[in-house]
Amino acid sequence: MKKLLLSAAALMAFSIAISIFQMSCTKIANSQTPSYTLQPATTTKLGGVIPDGTTISVDATGKISAPNSYTLQAATTTKLGGVIPDGTTISVDATGKISANAATQVGKLLYGVTGATEPANAIWTSNFDGSNPQKINITMPTGIVIAPDNIRISPDHKTIFFSAHTIPPASILYYLYSCNIDGTNLRQIRSQGANGVSVEVAY
């Protein structure tokens, strides 16, 4: 019996010694493991990143995505950017092909009328069938009259071009003028002196 008790005591002491040894090893291992801090990423090295949650987000599965939050700036005459075709003069088809459409016909005639005296010369419009005639009121400079047989219109139907000259018997001087389709914004665009001039085409 005495031997049995001694054996049990020896086994217990051995078991306690093993437990103490294991605990000691764990503490040593823990004390030797350094605490690592992930460095932030830069343009030249890998590292940790933090999504801002707005332009970059991470879902519950860890998937990273960039929401469609970017607004394309409008293009200007000095920088690239987004453009919006007007659907009339410029159009885009279903394949993304861009094309320029021909100017839309508005069904109007543009013609000159010779007055009883030259200052009465004028430019008129009407429908194709001659109905709805309307005089375009153009205020010419004093002493200069419209040449009613030399008139053109721009492809966008917004600007009229015509020749003009001074009234005889003074020396005749010739000019090219332009104005808006309603007669406003009159501008002298060429002065030809005594050399005759005519508008051939506007494009």
Side-chain angles (χ1 to χ4, degrees), residues 5-203:
L5 290 174
L6 289 173
S7 298
L11 287 173
M12 183 174 293
F14 181 74
S15 177
I16 292 171
I18 292 296
S19 298
I20 293 173
F21 177 75
Q22 288 178 337
M23 291 174 63
S24 177
C25 290
T26 301
K27 287 181 180 180
I28 292 172
N30 289 338
S31 65
Q32 290 178 346
T33 303
S35 57
Y36 177 73
T37 301
L38 183 62
Q39 298 299 310
T42 70
T43 56
T44 59
K45 69 177 183 179
L46 294 173
V49 294
I50 302 174
D52 61 9
T54 304
T55 58
I56 299 293
S57 61
V58 182
D59 64 16
T61 67
K63 181 181 178 181
I64 299 175
S65 61
N68 297 323
S69 59
Y70 177 72
T71 300
L72 184 62
Q73 299 299 309
T76 69
T77 55
T78 58
K79 70 176 183 179
L80 293 174
V83 293
I84 303 175
D86 60 10
T88 304
T89 58
I90 299 292
S91 61
V92 182
D93 65 17
T95 67
K97 181 180 178 182
I98 299 175
S99 58
N101 304 323
T104 304
Q105 193 172 49
V106 295
K108 291 287 186 179
L109 291 174
L110 182 72
Y111 58 95
V113 173
T114 302
T117 60
E118 282 199 294
N121 292 351
I123 300 174
W124 287 64
T125 64
S126 74
N127 296 330
F128 279 171
D129 62 3
S131 62
N132 192 31
Q134 294 185 4
K135 179 183 176 181
I136 298 175
N137 294 313
I138 302 172
T139 304
M140 296 297 296
T142 302
I144 299 178
V145 296
I146 295 169
D149 58 347
N150 192 233
I151 305 165
R152 299 291 184 273
I153 191 167
S154 62
D156 62 2
H157 310 144
K158 294 180 179 180
T159 306
I160 301 171
F161 301 94
F162 59 92
S163 59
H165 58 79
T166 54
I167 303 173
S171 297
I172 300 178
L173 302 176
Y174 297 90
Y175 308 93
L176 285 180
Y177 276 86
S178 70
C179 69
N180 295 341
I181 190 65
D182 61 0
T184 60
N185 193 30
L186 180 69
R187 292 193 313 122
Q188 183 189 113
I189 55 178
R190 289 287 298 171
S191 176
Q192 291 296 115
N195 299 316
V197 63
S198 63
V199 182
E200 299 302 325
V201 67
Y203 63 93

